[in-house]
Amino acid sequence: MTEGTTPLDRVADAGVAVWLDDLSRERLRTGNLKDLVAERRVVGVTTNPTIFASALAKGDAYDEQLRQLAAQGTDVDGAVFAITTDDVREAADVLRPVHDATDGVDGRVSIEVDPRLAHDTQATVDAARALWSTIDRPNVFIKIPATLDGLPAITQVLADGISVNVTLIFSLERYRAVLDAFVAGLEQARANGHDLAPIASVASFFVSRVDAAVDPRLDAIGSPEAAELRGKAAIANARLAYGVYEEVVAGERWQSLASDGARPQRPLWASTGVKDKAYPDTRYVDELVVAGVVNTMPEATLQAVADHGDFRGDTVTGTQDEARRVVEALAGLGISLDEVTDRLEREGVEKFETSWTELLDTVRDGLGQVTA
C-alpha cells in the first residue's frame, strides 16, 4: 500500500464514488459529515425513511425545530417534510464544493419520496417535484422506488430536468426497465428543451439483502453444493447488473443522448453493510470495485474499508460468465433468483413504509412533548 493511503483511498482512486448511507442533524451540527468528506473520500450521501426515523428518535437535535413547527400549527406530515428537507438542504451545501469540483457528477444528497406512494405514479411525480423545488439545490437526487408504478414516474421526473436516484432495485429484469425509463426520460427532457448535462441519475442496486434471503435456503438444503454457494448470490447478481449497464451505454439510443451532453445513470451499490458476521465486513465493497460506479456505505462499513479493506483492483470486469454460473447453480438447487428478488422488492417497500410510519409517530410525539 502506498504510504499515507488506505484501502478506501484505493477504492476511490479506482473510480468508485464513496458515498455515506446516513444523515442526521447531529452529523451536520458537529461537522462530522464535513470531516468524512475531508478525511474519508466521501463524495455523496444517501438517505431513506429508516435513516430519518433513526435520526429523529435519538437525542434532542430536532427539539428546537419541533417547537417552532408546533407553534406554527404544522401538522405531522408537514413537519416531517420540513425537517427532512432542511437536513438534506444543509447536507447539499456541505457537499456543494465536491459537486462543483466534479462538474456535477458527485457531491449529491438523496431524499426519498414518501414510500406510501410507491404504487401511485402521479402522486410520486408530484411529491418529487415538491421535494426538488423546496430543497432548491442542484446537487440533490430525488429517490423514486423501482416499482412498476415508479417506472413511468422516473421518466416524467427526469423529463422535467430533475435528477433522480432510482432505489430498491433487486432484479436484472427490473434494472433493464429502470435503464429504459432513464433513457426515455432524457429523450423527453431533450425534446422539452432541457440541457441534459446537469440532469444526473444513479440506479441503486441492492446487494446484501440478496444473500440474506438466499443463504437460509441454501442452509436448509444442507448439501456440499449448497454450502459452496453461500454468500455468492448477491455479488453475482450485482456483477450481472453491471453487465446490463454496459450493454445499455454501448447502445445507439444512449450514444445519441451522450452526444448531446447526457451523462450515464451510474450503478450504485446499496445495502452494502454485511448482515452475516461469517463474511468479511468489507465484502460488498471489495468484490464490487469497478470504475464509474457508486458504493454507498453505512459509516461502520466505510471505516472498516478504510482500516482493513481487501483492495484487489477491479473485481467486476470479466466476471460475467462466473456470475451466470452461480445463478445457474442456484437454479439447479431449486432457488429462483427472480422469485427471491421479486419478494425482496415487496418487502423493501413494506420496510420503508413501516419506517415512515415510525418517523411520523416520532415527530407526532415530539410535537406533543414540546407543546405539553
Side-chain angles (χ1 to χ4, degrees), residues 228-242:
E228 179 65 24
L229 289 168
R230 265 191 124 261
K232 293 185 177 180
I235 298 297
N237 197 42
R239 287 172 172 171
L240 289 171
Y242 185 77

Side-chain angles (χ1 to χ4, degrees), residues 110-346:
S110 297
I111 184 170
E112 189 156 348
V113 297
D114 183 338
R116 296 172 298 179
L117 308 178
H119 301 295
D120 187 329
T121 300
Q122 190 56 51
T124 294
V125 172
D126 293 342
R129 289 169 174 164
L131 287 168
W132 180 260
S133 62
T134 299
I135 297 170
D136 193 26
R137 295 294 187 272
N139 55 323
V140 166
F141 275 130
I142 308 303
K143 289 179 79 173
I144 297 175
T147 59
L148 288 175
D149 297 299
L151 294 172
I154 292 160
T155 296
Q156 288 185 49
V157 171
L158 286 163
D160 285 350
I162 296 173
S163 295
V164 174
N165 176 342
V166 183
T167 189
L168 288 175
I169 309 171
F170 295 95
S171 75
L172 301 180
E173 178 184 9
R174 186 57 53 83
Y175 182 37
R176 290 182 189 278
V178 166
L179 284 161
D180 186 67
F182 164 70
V183 170
L186 287 192
E187 288 171 341
Q188 290 183 27
R190 179 170 60 185
N192 292 340
H194 287 288
D195 179 3
L196 298 184
I199 307 173
S201 187
V202 292
S204 295
F205 199 89
F206 280 52
V207 185
S208 68
R209 292 189 195 181
V210 175
D211 280 340
V214 170
D215 283 355
R217 299 188 184 196
L218 293 169
D219 293 342
I221 293 170
S223 67
E225 293 82 5
E228 179 65 24
L229 289 168
R230 265 191 124 261
K232 293 185 177 180
I235 298 297
N237 197 42
R239 287 172 172 171
L240 289 171
Y242 185 77
V244 171
Y245 163 76
E246 287 187 305
E247 290 173 16
V248 171
V249 296
E252 290 183 12
R253 216 174 144 199
W254 169 250
Q255 291 300 320
S256 170
L257 290 165
S259 67
D260 284 333
R263 304 183 190 204
Q265 182 187 59
R266 288 185 293 173
L268 179 151
W269 309 131
S271 184
T272 57
V274 172
K275 294 176 171 57
D276 187 333
K277 293 183 179 179
Y279 302 140
D281 55 1
T282 62
R283 177 177 181 79
Y284 300 117
V285 179
D286 300 337
E287 302 297 335
L288 293 172
V289 173
V290 63
V293 302
V294 178
N295 195 311
T296 186
M297 312 173 201
E299 186 176 5
T301 302
L302 186 147
Q303 299 290 11
V305 175
D307 180 66
H308 55 264
D310 180 21
F311 177 80
R312 306 187 305 279
D314 185 335
T315 49
V316 175
T317 303
T319 61
Q320 296 288 301
D321 289 344
E322 177 189 354
R324 274 188 284 270
R325 284 194 291 271
V326 169
V327 175
E328 290 166 2
L330 289 168
L333 294 175
I335 299 175
S336 164
L337 206 51
D338 288 339
E339 185 275 325
V340 169
T341 54
D342 285 348
R343 180 167 60 83
L344 285 171
E345 180 189 303
R346 292 193 301 273

